Every structure is written in C-alpha cells, then in structure tokens.
Amino acid sequence: MTQAEVEAFIEGLEDVQRAEAFGYTLFFVGDDRRLPFVTIADSDQEFDNVSNLDRDGVFRINIGVSKATFTTLLGDPGSENVDHRVLDRFLPHPHYSKQNWVCILNPGRQNTEPVKELIAEAHAIATARMRRQKDR
C-alpha cells in the first residue's frame, strides 16, 4: 500500500479534512482541527526520528484506535522493547501509544485491509466525538 493509496482511502471517507503541519499530513473529521484521527509522516523531524523515516520511500501511518482494538492488536505497549524502524508491522505509536495510537511503516499487501479497517475505526471514533461536541 503506497502513501498515495492510503491518503486516497482516507480522503474517500465522509467529511474528512486534510492539513499539513510539523512535517505531518493530518486528517480530521469536519471542521474541528483539535485532534486528527490519522496522521502520516514521511520524514524524520527534530522531535520524532525513532522510525528512521528518512530512508527512501519510507512512511509511517499513525492511527488513533479504541483501547480494545489497541490491546487486541498489540497487548501491553510497555511489555517489550519496540523497534520503531521495522516495516509492515503494527506497532505502538512511539509517542502516543498511551492514547491508543498504533502505527505501521509501509504496510504490505497482507496489511492493506487491516490498515483500512483501523482507519475506518479511527474515523468512526472521531465522527462520534464530533457529534458529541455538537450536541453540547
């Protein structure tokens, strides 16, 4: 799955807004720009270089999922020493795993559907959060 394919899938979801900031591509639901549901990084930054994204063609998809999904997918994020440079494997986000963010670098064919499912879940969570805020 290429970065362009990931971005096209995300942008095909309902009411998605895209922004660029801090070296990331951020995806939000609606006009609320406080919390993205997915981000994509394709280069190292001063504050985020653990994935060695400056390798040719390497990108990292960061996805905010439910606690249940995070636990099912990864278990306890503090239970192992994680190599955040590995490709095509779901990992706890290097900085936001406590907020139930997962990541994957350059997902391969076997992870295309799981990536789409996780992105769809993150979109649904963000949509529900936006609706709750509007109902206040």
Side-chain angles (χ1 to χ4, degrees):
M1 193 170 197
T2 67
Q3 183 173 341
E5 290 169 333
V6 173
E7 291 176 9
F9 175 77
I10 296 166
E11 291 173 342
L13 298 171
E14 184 178 345
D15 201 18
V16 171
Q17 306 295 320
R18 175 186 176 134
E20 307 281 334
F22 309 110
Y24 293 93
T25 303
L26 305 111
F27 297 93
F28 302 88
V29 171
D31 295 330
D32 183 13
R33 299 286 174 106
R34 289 180 279 180
L35 185 61
F37 66 96
V38 173
T39 67
I40 299 176
D42 60 9
S43 63
D44 286 336
Q45 305 299 320
E46 179 180 332
F47 51 88
D48 182 359
N49 58 11
V50 298
S51 296
N52 193 18
L53 296 174
D54 285 340
R55 293 176 282 170
D56 190 37
V58 175
F59 66 99
R60 186 180 74 217
I61 308 165
N62 309 300
I63 310 167
V65 297
S66 70
K67 183 173 184 155
T69 297
F70 185 95
T71 302
T72 299
L73 192 62
L74 299 173
D76 177 10
S79 65
E80 65 178 274
N81 191 7
V82 177
D83 181 357
H84 284 95
R85 299 169 297 174
V86 67
L87 302 178
D88 195 25
R89 186 170 133 213
F90 288 104
L91 304 166
H93 187 280
H95 307 292
Y96 299 108
S97 63
K98 289 185 180 186
Q99 289 82 22
N100 304 313
W101 279 71
V102 300
C103 65
I104 187 169
L105 282 67
N106 293 50
R109 189 170 291 145
Q110 73 275 7
N111 280 320
T112 296
E113 287 310 309
V115 164
K116 289 178 177 180
E117 290 168 9
L118 294 175
I119 290 171
E121 175 183 318
H123 180 266
I125 291 168
T127 299
R129 182 176 54 243
M130 183 186 69
R131 288 185 181 139
R132 283 192 306 272
Q133 290 172 350
K134 285 184 178 182
D135 290 343
R136 289 182 184 171

